[in-house]
Amino acid sequence: MRTRRLLLWRAPWIAALCLALALIGPGLAGTAAAGEKLVVWWNKGYYPEEDAAMQKIAKDFEAKNKVEVDLSFTAQEDLLKKITAALIARRVPDVAFCFFNDWQVVPKYGWNDQLADVSDLIKELRPRYNEKMLEVAYVMNNKTKKRAYYGIPIEAQTMHIHYWRDMLREVGMEDDPAKIPMKWDDYWGYWKKAQDALRKKDSAKYGKLYGIGMTMSTRASDTLYNFDMALLSFNGELLDKNGKVIADQPKNREAIIKTLKWFGELFTSGYVPPDATNWSDGDNNAGFHSKSIVMTPNPSQSIPASQFFNKDDPQKTNYFDNMATIEWPDGPDGKKARYLSAVKTVIIPKDSKNQKLAKEFVRFVVEPARFLEYVKAANGRWYPAFTDVAKDPFWRAGHKGPKGQKDPHVPVATMIYQDRDNKAFEHWKHPANSQVYDENIWGKAMARIAIDKWAPEKAADEAIERMKTIFAGYK
Amino acid sequence: MTTRLLHNRTFHGFMFSAPLLVLFGAFVIYPMGFGIYYALDRDSYRALFGDPTFRQTVWNTVWYVGVAVNVKLFLALLLSGILDYPYRWIRILSALFLIPWAIPALPGILSFRWMLNSQWGIFNHLLTKFGLSSVPWLAQHDTALGAIMVFHIWKYLPFWTIIFLAGRRAIPNELYEAAAIDGAQPVQNFRFVTFPLLRNLYLICTLLSMVFTLGDFTVPWLLAGGAPGDSTHVLATLAYRYTFHMGRLEWGMATFAVALPVTLFFIFLLLRWVKI
């Protein structure tokens, strides 16, 4: 009886002790391991080869430095939320690489003084960098009131247009990329003509086919590329070199109106799928792969890269023979297209306890031979931010087809990066511009015209006003 | 003193419930406090009310909650009457009827999205078969918001129907027998017996469903994601967009805080009604 009573009054203490150990234990374990473990959050690759290449790099780093690398892969949409939550809660990884870092993390959290200043690392790597891609990480810190490098750019994507050559051949239209008309109206008219011809030829098969897979949705970041590329074609600018809003200047307002009017007319013309205003980033890819659209503008080479790995097409006929990548057309003024690149960037949070080791890890990742292996594993989806890596013959030649065919995709992207007027997206100029992109205000303006039937002037003015309001919020 | 404390039964009780209290504190009190702290930022409200998307979102939420909940519960009340018939085939129908509620939301929503696709969806296929023009269901505000409501009703109708069915079965049969002696027809049975006895349950279900629907994220987000043009957000999806797409936790919290008085009012009414 006495033993039972003794046990009874000890039980709460035992329960409390167990609870305390359960709560504190993991923390103690974490403390013991701190300094020996590098936590790396990496964007899950589109292809298993990318992840395998990064795992190999992490293993090599562990072996060389006698440390543990806790490497985890997360899909881009989820990783952005994970990084955002970590930075807000100040429980951060040591290194984080997300495809959305460049426009949704670096400008905002650099401004908030929550990212490590990596200017020393950038200075060391500078001779290797493509200078145009470097500025994306040179953002303002609102605490120090100075710009510095708060990220390490590693690879980029830019605008390409893909189309089905075999569909054009089917209706006797010229399918050679060199022979597609590149003048603004002729270019867009060409895909409209293809839609008409295909629907006429076989209405049962192509009755619901559309010529132009233009994403115009607030859900998709592709919309930003489409708008900004078209705005450049119409010679419009949103910010000056210091990050001040100049969208309301008459010349730029006019260019914005023309751009929005063009998108509105394109949508209502019946040559863009009606659901394009509701597409997410993958929907134009899906529409293209299922051949329900003839062409689509798409940032990055994800569409051809996906066809390259298509298991149902072992001869890679789609990649080498049935589809092609071409440039954005010349502007309405006849000038060659100017391009925008989104430069994907690694960050080291300021709250990381292992900043030195984190920098060492990034330095290790971007060593030329190692980084070439990694970036090539993405099958040309990304273009390296380092000139020495970009000198590899792969970027100019691409893959060789099983019948000796030339690569119709990777060299086109390389030509855009190396031979065309190309600049980084301008979110780095001001963190408010990052919010402009987040809110997708230009996608909203497109919807105002296409769905709500607003006049382009009214939609443009609403968007410009919203842009100015957002910028005014950053003091 | 320590010995007395150790032998105190209240202390024992407290210690045994300590794990639950700690968990409650960690996962309810702390997040709520954290949320309230963030939601107190006045600048957030200025930003919210200056955002045209927020104003549209408030209206969408009012429509969504007002229409979807009331249509759903009214239909549930009627359907529960059908399912109350003592036929064998009705039992089979009841089992089939539960399927929408039983299947996970995600595959249901994705299937619905495909069915609404303007290019190859079944709805437009049928429309064009009958010579009508196709409709971009998810690419215009009214039809997209309507689709969200329809899916919500389809998904949750079985649950509320079963609740009303249970309510109907709790009504003593003698009341219907007495009504029959008085010559009551089915409509009069419903008007003078069934509905008065289900009225309290109906109101409680309405309040509960309003509280659930006010915080519904899954259906509006997965079906439309705010598109087209951010015109179909409800408060839950907009708060998510602010917090995780834009990194504005304080705006996200303020968005929830805007809905909080309404939710608390519903909960207050509910508690009064059930006399807790």
Side-chain angles (χ1 to χ4, degrees), chain A residues 45-55 73 99 374 377-378 381-382:
Chain A
Y46 274 50
Y47 315 103
E49 290 80 357
E50 285 179 86
D51 295 347
M54 182 43 63
Q55 277 164 337
F73 295 101
F99 297 152
Y374 169 73
R381 184 168 192 266
W382 306 107

Side-chain angles (χ1 to χ4, degrees), chain A residues 211-260:
Chain A
I212 302 167
M214 181 70 76
T215 308
M216 296 168 67
S217 157
T218 46
R219 299 175 82 182
S221 60
D222 286 6
T223 307
L224 306 171
Y225 283 86
N226 295 338
F227 175 81
D228 278 9
M229 282 297 298
L231 184 65
L232 279 180
S233 296
F234 282 100
N235 295 314
E237 299 280 345
L238 300 173
L239 302 179
D240 70 4
K241 63 180 172 33
N242 300 314
K244 193 173 162 258
V245 179
I246 52 168
D248 54 350
Q249 289 180 357
K251 173 188 156 278
N252 293 319
R253 181 179 173 270
E254 198 189 325
I256 292 167
I257 291 167
K258 279 183 184 168
T259 306
L260 290 173

Side-chain angles (χ1 to χ4, degrees), chain A residues 13 81 104 208 275 278, chain B residues 6 118-119 227 240 245-246:
Chain A
W13 290 106
K81 293 166 189 87
Q104 288 189 296
K208 287 173 182 172
D275 283 350
N278 190 34
Chain B
L6 290 175
S118 63
Q119 270 176 283
Y240 179 80
H245 280 204
M246 296 167 55

Side-chain angles (χ1 to χ4, degrees), chain A residues 62-271:
Chain A
E62 282 181 328
K64 187 186 170 199
N65 293 277
K66 308 282 179 256
V67 291
E68 186 190 343
V69 177
D70 179 4
L71 173 66
S72 59
F73 295 101
T74 310
Q76 62 201 60
E77 289 83 6
D78 295 330
L79 185 56
L80 173 67
K81 293 166 189 87
K82 195 171 159 181
I83 292 172
T84 304
L87 288 166
I88 290 170
R90 295 191 174 266
R91 294 174 68 86
V92 293
D94 298 307
V95 177
F97 175 63
C98 174
F99 297 152
F100 294 134
N101 273 355
D102 55 327
W103 59 285
Q104 288 189 296
V105 176
V106 175
K108 270 183 281 193
Y109 294 98
W111 173 267
N112 290 347
D113 194 37
Q114 283 184 260
L115 300 180
D117 182 345
V118 292
S119 301
D120 52 342
L121 182 57
I122 295 293
K123 192 179 171 191
E124 183 189 319
L125 295 170
R126 188 158 209 137
R128 294 180 52 209
Y129 262 114
N130 177 337
E131 279 287 330
K132 286 177 190 169
M133 296 188 185
L134 198 49
E135 59 191 7
V136 75
Y138 192 59
V139 298
M140 191 72 180
N141 181 325
N142 193 36
K143 193 174 174 193
T144 61
K145 306 286 180 197
K146 279 181 189 167
R147 281 186 185 273
Y149 289 97
Y150 289 100
I152 308 106
I154 59 169
E155 58 192 20
Q157 62 181 132
T158 191
M159 177 59 82
H160 325 89
I161 289 176
H162 311 293
Y163 68 94
W164 286 110
R165 295 182 69 161
D166 56 343
M167 287 176 121
L168 295 181
R169 283 197 294 261
E170 202 177 326
V171 286
M173 288 176 72
E174 190 55 70
D175 68 307
D176 182 348
K179 292 183 179 163
I180 305 284
M182 292 305 286
K183 284 185 180 167
W184 185 260
D185 288 331
D186 296 346
Y187 183 87
W188 299 107
Y190 199 73
W191 312 112
K192 293 177 182 176
K193 193 177 151 194
Q195 174 183 316
D196 291 339
L198 283 158
R199 284 190 179 193
K200 194 176 168 191
K201 183 173 184 280
D202 189 343
S203 61
K205 188 177 174 187
Y206 295 124
K208 287 173 182 172
L209 170 127
Y210 287 89
I212 302 167
M214 181 70 76
T215 308
M216 296 168 67
S217 157
T218 46
R219 299 175 82 182
S221 60
D222 286 6
T223 307
L224 306 171
Y225 283 86
N226 295 338
F227 175 81
D228 278 9
M229 282 297 298
L231 184 65
L232 279 180
S233 296
F234 282 100
N235 295 314
E237 299 280 345
L238 300 173
L239 302 179
D240 70 4
K241 63 180 172 33
N242 300 314
K244 193 173 162 258
V245 179
I246 52 168
D248 54 350
Q249 289 180 357
K251 173 188 156 278
N252 293 319
R253 181 179 173 270
E254 198 189 325
I256 292 167
I257 291 167
K258 279 183 184 168
T259 306
L260 290 173
K261 190 171 175 230
W262 178 75
F263 275 108
E265 285 172 357
L266 191 65
F267 184 77
T268 50
S269 67
Y271 292 96

